[in-house]
Amino acid sequence: MVEVRLESLVKQFGEVTAVNQVTLTVGRGEFFSLLGPSGCGKTTTLRLIAGLEQPTAGRLWFGDRDVTQVPTHDRRIGMVFQSYALFPHLTVAGNVAYGLRARREPKAQIGAKVERALERVRLGGLSQRRVHELSGGQQQRVALARAMVLEPELLLLDEPLSNLDAALRTETRAELRRLQREVATTSIYVTHDQEEALALSDRLAVLRDGLLQQVGTPREVYSQPANAFVATFLGRANLAPVELVERTADGWTARLPNGQVVTGRGPTDLPTGSRALLCVRPESLAPAETGLPGNILDMAFTGQRYEYELEIAGHRWLACEPNRGQVPRDRGTSARWALEPEAVRLLPYEEVPCDCTTTDSPPLP
């Protein structure tokens, strides 16, 4: 395993800047995810790390080794692609052994390494099967074994679960995390799936238009988003414009456009009197005896919870209430909704695109 450092990495394709001054460090043995929508630069960043693309500017380090100009075959990496790229004319064992044969390792060692790799991914009894005889999940594990058998210092995974159905993705995701913890290989995982990134990662980076938006643990990035894009891309969030009216040592007070007041705990760097975005996760908005009055516009039952679409202070918000066997609240009724002060955040004000928020909030007049 190896530490990976990106220093002001830039990649341009003509006039398009796909990766823009990205600087981050992936620790030894860490499972690190690059998360973002299509076209945000995450796969290009992975290809730069792999040596499949050369940076326009910046440096790339594996430990104390500058690998910026080092070819892919000398980087001691393993790669798993979205398509798996398995050879249909070879058996499972033949696919896993391919890289070892290309390195001209002794035949006696190849057999033992292949057997061990297949046991790790729980395919020990399928070594002589052909690829077309395997399920999608089994093919994914063959691709993973083929990468791991080379004992790479760094494992790169480019949306390897995207071709699987929902149930199989969950199952294979758990297998992938188990295997990564077992072998402790530094791993960088590219995905646009927020749930995958949250479930798998030790830390993650959110990218947008080639720019790094935030880096942190899943809990940090989800609970303390840096801006509106992070808040709405990583999960769902209610965003509403407010005015910051007071700051104290342990919290703040903000006012919604209709005059209603919300309080939060924790520091803020925003100056008193400034505009801001109030960020509230749906699970942090609960029915209570006191709180903001809200009308229930719609309700959906998802099994584990009730999801309510609300009108609060002239904005459309989403609230989630765990299913504890209670009778759901009716559409068209009113209730008060309490905000957890520890879970409410103030974000820098910006005009929020309609495709990246669960609210329908107009800007302040």
Side-chain angles (χ1 to χ4, degrees), residues 226-248:
N227 54 42
F229 174 79
V230 175
T232 53
F233 188 81
L234 197 68
R236 296 183 293 182
N238 300 299
L239 300 177
V242 292
E243 179 187 1
L244 180 59
V245 296
E246 184 182 10
R247 295 195 309 174
T248 63

Side-chain angles (χ1 to χ4, degrees), residues 1 9 30 49 61 68 75-76 96 119 172 175 216 218 245 274 320 323 328 365:
M1 56 183 174
L9 216 56
E30 188 173 34
I49 296 170
W61 299 80
T68 309
R75 295 195 182 195
R76 291 191 59 80
V96 177
E119 288 294 335
T172 308
E175 288 290 317
V245 296
S274 65
C320 296
N323 175 21

Side-chain angles (χ1 to χ4, degrees), residues 91-159:
T91 63
V92 167
N95 270 278
V96 177
Y98 183 84
L100 298 173
R101 290 192 178 118
R103 292 201 311 205
R104 299 186 178 181
E105 294 203 10
K107 288 185 178 180
Q109 293 182 17
I110 290 177
K113 287 185 176 182
V114 169
E115 183 178 352
R116 186 164 61 249
L118 289 175
E119 288 294 335
R120 275 180 171 165
V121 298
R122 301 183 182 180
L123 292 177
L126 303 181
S127 62
Q128 297 309 306
R129 293 273 186 94
R130 297 284 179 175
V131 170
H132 71 271
E133 298 175 316
L134 303 178
S135 68
Q138 289 171 331
Q139 290 182 23
Q140 191 274 343
R141 283 185 278 164
V142 173
L144 186 59
R146 183 175 62 182
M148 297 300 296
V149 77
L150 298 174
E151 299 177 345
E153 293 182 335
L154 174 64
L155 181 63
L156 305 177
L157 304 108
D158 188 6
E159 307 226 31

Side-chain angles (χ1 to χ4, degrees), residues 152-265:
E153 293 182 335
L154 174 64
L155 181 63
L156 305 177
L157 304 108
D158 188 6
E159 307 226 31
L161 308 184
S162 60
N163 290 331
L164 306 181
D165 62 50
L168 194 53
R169 284 178 81 160
T170 301
E171 176 186 334
T172 308
R173 185 177 71 199
E175 288 290 317
L176 177 59
R177 190 59 173 130
R178 175 195 63 80
L179 181 62
Q180 196 275 338
R181 285 173 174 160
E182 180 181 309
V183 299
T185 301
T186 306
S187 303
I188 301 178
Y189 187 93
V190 161
T191 183
H192 65 275
D193 188 299
Q194 302 95 322
E195 186 176 328
E196 273 182 19
L198 290 171
L200 286 169
S201 310
D202 295 314
R203 289 189 307 137
L204 57 88
V206 181
L207 292 164
R208 181 189 191 189
D209 297 332
L211 293 167
L212 196 61
Q213 302 294 304
Q214 189 170 0
V215 178
T217 67
R219 184 178 179 85
E220 288 169 347
V221 178
Y222 182 83
S223 302
Q224 303 171 40
N227 54 42
F229 174 79
V230 175
T232 53
F233 188 81
L234 197 68
R236 296 183 293 182
N238 300 299
L239 300 177
V242 292
E243 179 187 1
L244 180 59
V245 296
E246 184 182 10
R247 295 195 309 174
T248 63
D250 60 353
W252 46 264
T253 301
R255 184 168 50 235
L256 289 159
N258 69 344
Q260 291 179 309
V261 170
V262 175
T263 60
R265 296 209 176 101

